[in-house]
Amino acid sequence: MAAPVQAPAGAPAATRSDRVEQRLRERFPEVPFRRQEGAAVRDVTLFLPAGRLVEVCTFLRDDPELEFAMLVSITGVDYLPREPRFEVVYHLLSITHSLRFVLKVQLHEERPEVDSVVDVWLTANWHEREAYDFYGIKFLGHPDLRRILLPDDWVGWPLRKDSPLGYQEVSFTHNTPNRTVPDPDLKKLGPKKVKYRAH
């Protein structure tokens, strides 16, 4: 039986997160996991093929040594002009073991699709809808994949890097027609005196 993730008291979280990666590599030896490196990488982050996402997430949730019972967020990233263009980032939390872990899948521009993880974590429902709303990433098997923040008739995906920038001038006194300019002699009103009646 594998050693538990909970390291001895005082063990750094990074050591325990490394153990999560080890467990994944033991359970899925055929999956080409790739660890993201770099000074800006805070939590242990693994790339994996999109086709293996659901089973890996299910294992992370159900394995008693890991218990990643909480999906914190799903975010999309557009790396235009790089190919694969998109990344979908899954931030996971094991409350039992006080651990954070990140999974990433890369998607090509011509088919930005990945299987939904709603059946693994119900909170994925709205997270996936948001990524669809802003990036046009499709989550296959999602029970209700439609816009969540933008109007239903919105055209396009506003957080894609090739989305046209909108512009609307902000209204001020100097550029608003028929706006009256305040009287310069107007004095600031003092605080209003309010009488309170006891109930």
Side-chain angles (χ1 to χ4, degrees), residues 31-34 46-53 56 103-106:
V31 174
F33 292 107
R34 177 170 57 88
L46 292 183
F47 288 92
L48 74 158
R52 305 302 298 271
L53 177 69
V56 169
L103 292 175
K104 291 187 177 184
V105 296
Q106 295 181 314

Side-chain angles (χ1 to χ4, degrees), residues 69-89:
M70 183 174 181
L71 172 68
V72 177
S73 69
I74 298 175
T75 56
V77 187
D78 182 359
Y79 283 103
L80 185 74
R82 189 196 76 180
E83 188 59 33
R85 175 176 174 176
F86 298 104
E87 284 183 6
V88 184
V89 186

Side-chain angles (χ1 to χ4, degrees), residues 5 7 16 23 35 44 47 56 65 69 79 107 112 118 126 128 149 156-157:
V5 167
R16 292 178 285 145
R23 287 286 293 132
R35 185 166 180 167
V44 173
F47 288 92
V56 169
E65 187 180 341
Y79 283 103
L107 306 176
V118 169
W126 284 16
E128 291 177 351
L149 295 172
W157 318 106

Side-chain angles (χ1 to χ4, degrees), residues 4 20-21 24-26 30 69 82 98 100 107 126 131 156 177 182 190 196-197:
V20 178
E21 178 182 355
L24 285 174
R25 293 184 184 279
E26 291 169 356
E30 75 288 358
R82 189 196 76 180
S98 299
R100 293 183 181 274
L107 306 176
W126 284 16
Y196 295 97
R197 185 178 64 182

Side-chain angles (χ1 to χ4, degrees), residues 1 5 23 59-67 96-97:
M1 184 174 178
V5 167
R23 287 286 293 132
F59 173 75
L60 287 169
R61 181 198 65 188
D62 294 344
D63 185 80
E65 187 180 341
L66 306 178
E67 293 186 74
T96 305
H97 303 295

Side-chain angles (χ1 to χ4, degrees), residues 73-158:
S73 69
I74 298 175
T75 56
V77 187
D78 182 359
Y79 283 103
L80 185 74
R82 189 196 76 180
E83 188 59 33
R85 175 176 174 176
F86 298 104
E87 284 183 6
V88 184
V89 186
Y90 300 80
H91 289 265
L92 312 179
L93 174 64
S94 172
I95 299 172
T96 305
H97 303 295
S98 299
L99 282 177
R100 293 183 181 274
F101 201 73
V102 180
L103 292 175
K104 291 187 177 184
V105 296
Q106 295 181 314
L107 306 176
H108 294 279
E109 181 175 7
E110 65 274 8
R111 285 190 66 191
E113 300 175 345
V114 63
D115 289 330
S116 171
V117 293
V118 169
D119 289 338
V120 183
W121 298 287
L122 286 176
T123 52
N125 190 317
W126 284 16
H127 292 302
E128 291 177 351
R129 283 180 60 190
E130 183 180 39
Y132 168 74
D133 199 3
F134 290 143
Y135 292 95
I137 295 169
K138 294 181 180 177
F139 294 87
L140 307 176
H142 188 285
D144 186 25
L145 192 61
R146 57 189 169 92
R147 292 194 183 276
I148 190 170
L149 295 172
L150 295 172
D152 292 337
D153 59 354
W154 186 279
V155 178
W157 318 106

